[in-house]
Amino acid sequence: MRATQVVIDLVALRHNLACARAAAPDSRILAAIKANGYGHGMLRVARALEDADGFGVACLAEAIQLREAGISQPIVLLEGFFGADELEAIARHRVIPAIHNMTQLELLEQARLPQPLAVWLKVDSGMHRLGFPLAQAQEAWRRLAACPGVAEVVGCMTHLANADNLDDRFTVEQITAFRQHTAGLPGQRSIANSAALLGWPDSHTDWVRPGIMLYGVSPLLGGRGAQHGLRPVMTLRSELIAVTRLRRGDAVGYGGAFVCPEDMTVGVVAAGYGDGYPRHVANGVPVLVNGRRAPLVGRVSMDMLTVDLRGQPDARPGDAVVLWGEGLPVEEIAEHAGTIPYELLCRVMPRVDAVESGA
Ligand SMILES: *Cc1c(COP(=O)(O)O)cnc(C)c1O
């Protein structure tokens, strides 16, 4: 059997939730589990995080999947609904949409629903992606509260654009503006993603909304999960399937992108971009072979990649390989690939089986 798997460490996941609680002890936690739980398996993550106070997802289908699996906590649609045809199911499944623009508000005002909904009001405090402009927050609130389809406006939320950079004062501006423009409105407040939860305590309000940190990954630029006491949840692992002795001048893989500078041993790992390993990594990105770092050489193929085994001449086919996770931070691989850890985690391909550890 092909050995390529992701191991999902549920003990680490719960530990990371406890870290989020410790960092924001007075806030309730809305765990972001959209995009299949950042690639970790949404239902698995929701079940393991039974202590979370609620879950944040990107669409109704995700919410219904959670309800049908018996998840009973509040579920928030972070982008609200995409069409009025979703409203009845949203109400029936007790899902809470974030209402972020005038189109959604008007559809809600016109809807005739068998049961009214709870909603969040989403305000744009400067990210300029979703949310009512600050100057319209009070009016949007009044209209929502007056809407027959709305049972309760839970509160106001906003999202931060630059919280991952602790030197960027824009976060302070966003927090201040949000507080000023929502002052006096009843209900709860929610501002913080993982980066704000760990880096900007002023953003801790009634609810915090951590995602990436729950999976053990640092949300801060250049950071590593371990610096915050977090533990990696996903380990992408595989095996060596060939170990080859090559001569000086031999070229390895497609395009002959790596040429052996001396006689050397090269290992072939059964993992490639068809599994979600990034093809565009810089040469030399580390791979763990038997727990020790070996540099990747040559181009990543669909099903395989090659590593320089000069440091481990005794390596054999069948030896254990880790592409990221335990012992090799995904943050480091993302830096080599010119992307962010979020992307690597959520694009692990369906052919990669997941096994749970620490259940
Ligand atoms: C995804 C998401 C989060 C979580 O962000 P992280 O950076 O993963 O902590 C929080 N809030 C909203 C609105 C989101 O869409």
Side-chain angles (χ1 to χ4, degrees):
M1 204 182 74
R2 192 160 181 265
T4 311
Q5 292 178 327
V6 283
V7 182
I8 307 295
D9 183 343
L10 299 177
V11 172
L13 182 64
R14 292 196 197 96
H15 164 85
N16 298 335
L17 177 64
C19 288
R21 280 225 188 274
D26 301 322
S27 303
R28 279 186 276 173
I29 295 186
L30 190 83
I33 58 170
K34 59 208 185 192
N36 196 28
Y38 289 46
H40 295 67
M42 182 181 67
L43 291 182
R44 168 186 298 127
V45 169
R47 288 191 182 111
L49 295 182
E50 59 197 358
D51 290 343
D53 302 296
F55 294 109
V57 297
C59 61
L60 178 59
E62 292 175 337
I64 290 177
Q65 224 188 321
L66 291 168
R67 284 285 181 256
E68 287 180 346
I71 301 296
S72 59
Q73 286 103 321
I75 300 175
V76 177
L77 295 177
L78 296 166
E79 289 133 61
F81 59 93
F82 300 111
D85 56 336
E86 293 184 329
L87 288 171
E88 198 183 321
I90 287 174
R92 185 156 31 88
H93 291 284
R94 291 170 295 105
V95 175
I96 309 173
I99 304 302
H100 62 75
N101 69 11
M102 211 41 98
T103 308
Q104 286 184 333
L105 175 53
E106 284 167 3
L107 287 172
L108 205 47
E109 285 174 333
Q110 291 153 16
R112 293 291 160 260
L113 297 174
Q115 49 193 129
L117 320 172
V119 300
W120 277 91
L121 172 63
K122 182 148 187 173
V123 178
D124 174 18
S125 58
M127 182 164 178
H128 300 137
R129 194 176 59 177
L130 292 185
F132 287 89
L134 287 168
Q136 289 177 15
Q138 303 268 340
E139 193 214 329
W141 177 284
R142 275 190 294 278
R143 282 176 63 175
L144 277 176
C147 193
V150 172
E152 183 198 359
V153 188
V154 180
C156 299
M157 66 165 67
T158 195
H159 199 47
L160 300 171
N162 301 0
D164 58 341
N165 180 352
L166 297 182
D167 297 324
D168 193 328
R169 304 307 292 170
F170 189 58
T171 298
V172 178
E173 287 177 38
Q174 280 196 271
I175 295 171
T176 307
F178 176 71
R179 287 186 188 276
Q180 281 171 357
H181 285 83
T182 58
L185 291 174
Q188 297 160 24
R189 297 289 180 274
S190 179
I191 304 175
N193 56 5
S194 299
L197 198 164
L198 291 173
W200 301 91
D202 283 354
S203 70
H204 298 177
T205 50
D206 302 289
W207 287 84
V208 291
R209 306 189 307 270
I212 196 75
M213 71 174 290
L214 299 176
Y215 308 99
V217 175
S218 174
L220 302 181
L221 285 176
R224 297 289 182 265
Q227 295 164 345
H228 316 290
L230 303 171
R231 289 165 44 192
V233 177
M234 178 195 288
T235 295
L236 176 60
R237 74 177 180 196
S238 185
E239 277 178 6
L240 290 179
I241 56 169
V243 174
T244 321
R245 189 74 198 153
L246 299 176
R247 307 293 300 269
R248 176 171 176 223
D250 287 346
V252 178
Y254 287 119
F258 175 77
V259 177
C260 297
E262 58 184 323
D263 293 0
M264 61 183 281
T265 306
V266 166
V268 181
V269 178
Y273 63 81
D275 301 297
Y277 193 87
R279 182 173 175 280
H280 288 288
V281 284
N283 241 295
V285 59
V287 171
L288 291 187
V289 178
N290 295 315
R292 287 158 55 202
R293 285 172 179 242
L296 184 144
V297 291
R299 282 196 198 145
V300 174
S301 326
M302 187 181 288
D303 311 313
M304 288 171 270
L305 53 81
T306 37
V307 290
D308 176 347
L309 289 178
R310 275 178 288 183
Q312 299 192 52
D314 298 332
R316 290 285 172 267
D319 284 359
V321 169
V322 168
L323 285 318
W324 66 64
E326 193 67 53
L328 186 59
V330 68
E331 295 93 321
E332 197 176 332
I333 309 304
E335 283 164 14
H336 280 272
T339 184
I340 53 175
Y342 299 74
E343 188 184 14
L344 296 185
L345 296 179
C346 35
R347 73 176 184 194
V348 172
M349 299 291 175
R351 81 170 180 192
V352 180
D353 287 332
V355 293
E356 295 176 5
S357 75

